[in-house]
């Protein structure tokens, strides 16, 4: 028997804006003449890493570029100093938690949970939480809280935690759960109040045993702050750091995203390898062949020359919706400053052709649609069955018997693009060869790099989110008059 395992695929994702040029709204020549500025934006993006490391930050400037080479650094450390590496620690804790509990509750908001949700929905079984533990490969269920102040949603999760599927007592593995608390600042109210609530619930669930509580709580936070202090008081054996220089919405490849991903069985090494592959393309490929810079250039020109201030990410798989929502947050918080910045909007197609399609086809000409297409499904294609003995051809589908779901989706994508093109509605395509850890790693890194590079192109600091403070202050004035 051969011991050589086939190497999993590492095909690159592709960006194709040709249908945008075909509208005549912007041209290939226009994009080519933007090349020097795009190159400059790339240089600035990469130079920021050195500026950050050498402390050359300008007065008052927020600078968080350490996410850029993070995948490369994590992989290099893992390969050279395995037991001491951060990735090894993440994988060890993931294994410990995986073997101890059947559900993990992630508390976090914004950048502290949206990347995890994107990874979970893209890379796990679409009904992971509904499957019995055996069919989940012994991996826990994953639930999210602390991203809202929704009384009934929180009560609903408490119901689930109180009544485990097995109906067993606290020593029953299927009844046990753990808490991952994620907050870089450690002080965000939504997450902090949920932390109190779920800590109190967990404390009761472990029979008020402080040692067991500590083992089932894993904080992921900045070096100091209230959550770090709380972790110390509880005595949590594992606490993960969100490194300086990595902002919340850029933290998906820190323990913020990697720990829960590893717990539910996502191959985090392949995720990081995908991200590192995108880094190489960003650094090395000439502007004209660089997916990050081409994407930035087209989005920028479409906004400046076609008035496309709304950027629709049209995801052609339900599994990519949470990636889109993560990107909505990334783009909004990074570039929505100084009364500038395009408005991102995620859709799931074909679902939303039946809710938004009308407007995209005939509404204001203020949209650039970027399709997020998937080359091949992960599972065997489903084919349309014949109707069987209980009816004739009343649904008039007999001529499609044997047609595969991916073929029908491809027809929908080509047909939608054709209809938009006929009305000069600009569409571009990002194509993932398939949805797996490697392509998702590439995609998330591509979108983070693009966001920062666009910020440098247009002179908006992509890091920090000063505007979010206003609501917090107004809210706290009401809570603590
Ligand atoms: O991108 C960001 O920095 C924000 O979206 C934060 O992630 C979000 O506000 C949560 O902050 P914290 O992790 O400090 O609780």
């Amino acid at each position: 028997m051969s011991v050589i395992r086939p190497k999993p695929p590492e095909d690159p994702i592709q960006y194709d804006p040709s249908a945008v040029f075909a509208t005549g709204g912007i041209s290939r020549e226009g994009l080519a003449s933007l090349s020097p500025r795009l190159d400059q934006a790339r240089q600035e993006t990469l130079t920021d890493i050195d500026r950050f490391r050498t402390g050359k930050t300008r007065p008052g400037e927020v600078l968080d570029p350490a996410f850029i080479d993070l995948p490369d650094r994590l992989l290099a450390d893992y390969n050279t100093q395995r037991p001491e590496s951060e990735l090894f620690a993440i994988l060890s804790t993931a294994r410990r938690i995986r073997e101890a509990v059947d559900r993990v509750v992630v508390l976090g908001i914004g950048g502290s949970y949206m990347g995890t949700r994107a990874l979970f929905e893209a890379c796990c079984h679409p009904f992971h939480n509904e499957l019995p533990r055996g069919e989940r490969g012994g991996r826990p269920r994953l639930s999210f809280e602390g991203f809202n102040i929704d009384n009934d949603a929180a009560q609903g999760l408490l119901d689930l935690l109180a009544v485990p599927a097995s109906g067993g007592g606290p020593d029953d593995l299927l009844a046990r759960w753990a808490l991952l608390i994620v907050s870089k600042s450690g002080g965000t109210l939504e997450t902090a109040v949920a932390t109190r609530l779920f800590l109190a619930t967990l404390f009761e669930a472990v029979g008020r045993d402080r040692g067991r509580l500590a083992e089932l709580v894993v904080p992921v936070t900045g070096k100091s702050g209230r959550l770090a202090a709380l972790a110390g008081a509880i005595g949590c054996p594992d606490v993960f750091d969100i490194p300086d220089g990595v902002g919340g919405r850029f933290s998906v490849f820190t323990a913020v995203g990697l720990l829960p991903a590893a717990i539910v069985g996502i191959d985090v090494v392949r995720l990081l390898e995908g991200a590192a592959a995108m880094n190489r393309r960003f650094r090395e490929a000439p502007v004209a062949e660089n997916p990050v810079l081409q994407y930035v250039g087209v989005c920028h020109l479409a906004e400046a020359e076609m008035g496309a201030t709304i950027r629709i990410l049209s995801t052609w798989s339900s599994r990519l919706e949470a990636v889109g929502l993560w990107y909505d947050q990334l783009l909004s918080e990074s570039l929505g400053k100084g009364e500038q910045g395009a408005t991102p909007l995620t859709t799931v197609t074909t679902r939303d052709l039946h809710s938004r399609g009308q407007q995209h086809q005939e509404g204001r000409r203020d949209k650039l649609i970027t399709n997020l297409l998937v080359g091949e499904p992960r599972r065997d294609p489903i084919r349309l069955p014949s109707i069987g003995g209980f009816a004739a051809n009343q649904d008039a589908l007999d001529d499609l018997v044997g047609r595969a779901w991916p073929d029908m989706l491809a027809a929908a994508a080509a047909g939608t693009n054709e209809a938009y093109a006929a009305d000069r509605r600009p569409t571009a395509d990002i194509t993932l060869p398939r949805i797996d850890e490697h392509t998702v790693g590439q995609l998330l890194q591509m979108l983070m790099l693009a966001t920062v590079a666009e910020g440098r192109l247009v002179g908006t600091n992509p890091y920090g989110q000063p505007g979010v403070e206003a609501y917090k202050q107004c809210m706290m004035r009401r809570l603590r008059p």
Side-chain angles (χ1 to χ4, degrees):
M1 197 176 74
S2 168
V3 289
I4 302 172
R5 291 214 198 112
K7 197 168 157 33
E10 298 186 348
D11 312 309
I13 66 178
Q14 307 287 352
Y15 176 63
D16 177 8
S18 46
V20 183
F21 302 129
T23 64
I26 62 172
S27 64
R28 284 186 196 281
E29 297 68 37
L31 182 59
S33 50
L34 195 67
S35 280
R37 286 184 56 206
L38 288 168
D39 209 9
Q40 170 69 23
R42 166 169 57 183
Q43 286 320 318
E44 269 189 63
T45 300
L46 296 173
T47 308
D48 283 346
I49 307 173
D50 297 331
R51 282 207 303 125
F52 171 75
R53 297 243 154 85
T54 53
K56 294 202 179 113
T57 318
R58 298 175 195 111
E61 182 187 21
V62 179
L63 192 60
D64 282 335
F67 82 91
I68 297 174
D69 58 355
L70 182 68
D72 308 78
R73 285 186 284 119
L74 285 173
L75 287 170
D77 286 353
Y78 184 61
N79 290 329
T80 54
Q81 335 167 1
R82 189 148 298 195
E84 285 82 45
S85 69
E86 172 83 353
L87 196 49
F88 187 86
I90 289 172
L91 292 170
S92 305
T93 300
R95 191 178 325 110
R96 180 174 75 74
I97 295 293
R98 192 162 57 228
E99 288 168 3
V101 302
D102 197 50
R103 186 184 296 274
V104 170
V105 176
V106 175
L107 304 181
I109 192 168
S112 287
Y113 96 104
M114 298 185 84
T116 303
R117 186 160 220 151
L119 297 177
F120 180 53
E121 292 192 16
C123 297
C124 287
H125 188 289
F127 297 97
H128 177 95
N129 281 353
E130 270 75 40
L131 295 174
R133 186 171 172 98
E135 286 182 41
R136 281 182 266 125
R139 284 105 182 205
R141 300 178 159 94
L142 199 62
S143 303
F144 297 91
E145 248 300 335
F147 59 85
N148 207 346
I149 319 178
D150 184 322
N151 186 72
D152 294 356
Q155 287 284 20
L157 183 53
L158 292 173
D159 291 345
L160 278 187
L161 298 172
V163 187
S166 62
D171 289 326
D172 173 2
L173 170 68
L174 298 184
R176 291 204 297 257
W177 55 281
L179 209 47
L180 247 63
I181 312 170
V182 188
S183 175
K184 177 156 185 181
S185 63
T188 304
L189 185 82
E190 291 88 335
T191 307
V193 295
T195 298
R196 272 219 177 184
L197 175 68
F198 285 88
L199 274 177
T201 309
L202 186 55
F203 193 41
E204 294 303 323
V206 296
R208 305 178 72 82
D209 179 331
R210 292 182 65 161
R212 287 179 70 189
L213 177 77
E215 279 173 13
L216 294 178
V217 176
V218 186
V220 183
T221 188
K223 285 190 182 56
S224 58
R226 294 174 195 170
L227 179 56
L230 187 60
I234 296 170
C236 303
D238 296 315
V239 181
F240 287 90
D241 180 36
I242 306 174
D244 287 345
V246 181
R249 58 191 173 276
F250 298 95
S251 67
V252 62
F253 296 133
T254 68
V256 170
L258 297 180
L259 177 60
I263 289 174
V264 293
I266 294 171
D267 185 340
V268 296
V269 171
R270 296 244 311 139
L271 264 180
L272 292 170
E273 286 172 348
M278 184 53 69
N279 273 345
R280 273 194 300 282
R281 289 174 84 186
F282 177 61
R283 284 175 193 276
E284 294 168 14
V287 175
E289 292 158 30
N290 194 305
V292 176
L293 296 175
Q294 291 290 292
Y295 174 77
V296 170
V298 168
C299 290
H300 171 70
L301 289 178
E303 186 178 340
E305 295 180 15
M306 302 174 76
T309 54
I310 297 179
R311 291 191 197 157
I312 294 166
L313 190 68
S314 177
T315 63
W316 286 84
S317 166
S318 305
R319 293 171 58 193
L320 293 173
E321 182 172 20
V323 168
L325 297 176
W326 166 84
Y327 180 54
D328 286 351
Q329 182 241 0
L330 177 68
L331 193 65
S332 309
E333 280 199 331
S334 301
L335 301 186
K337 294 168 183 164
E339 304 192 3
Q340 301 292 316
T343 301
L345 176 67
T346 289
T347 63
V348 178
T349 334
T350 66
R351 183 190 76 187
D352 296 342
L353 293 177
H354 296 258
S355 56
R356 296 182 180 275
Q358 167 63 37
Q359 186 176 45
H360 297 174
Q361 182 77 45
E362 295 185 348
R364 281 207 185 101
R365 291 187 180 275
D366 55 2
K367 297 168 200 69
L368 167 65
I369 297 175
T370 302
N371 293 301
L372 197 48
L373 298 163
V374 182
E376 62 182 23
R378 241 154 100 152
R379 307 283 299 272
D380 290 344
I382 301 169
R383 293 186 182 279
L384 188 71
S386 51
I387 199 150
F390 52 84
N393 186 25
Q394 282 86 357
D395 56 4
L397 291 176
D398 271 1
D399 56 330
L400 296 181
V401 167
R403 293 298 287 268
W405 256 233
D407 295 346
M408 291 192 269
L409 190 70
T416 307
N417 274 351
E418 182 186 339
Y420 289 150
D423 197 42
R424 293 185 304 101
R425 302 278 165 169
T427 60
D429 295 340
I430 296 173
T431 304
L432 310 189
R434 66 197 64 75
I435 303 176
D436 66 8
E437 285 89 341
H438 201 272
T439 58
V440 170
Q442 291 180 60
L443 177 66
L444 299 188
Q445 191 71 4
M446 172 181 163
L447 295 174
M448 289 193 284
L449 290 169
T451 302
V452 174
E454 183 174 353
R456 293 313 183 206
L457 179 75
V458 299
T460 298
N461 182 358
Y463 302 116
Q465 60 282 343
V468 183
E469 291 312 308
Y471 104 85
K472 291 185 191 169
Q473 284 163 14
C474 297
M475 172 175 71
M476 292 314 289
R477 241 194 346 261
R478 281 166 173 74
L479 286 173
R480 292 187 178 130

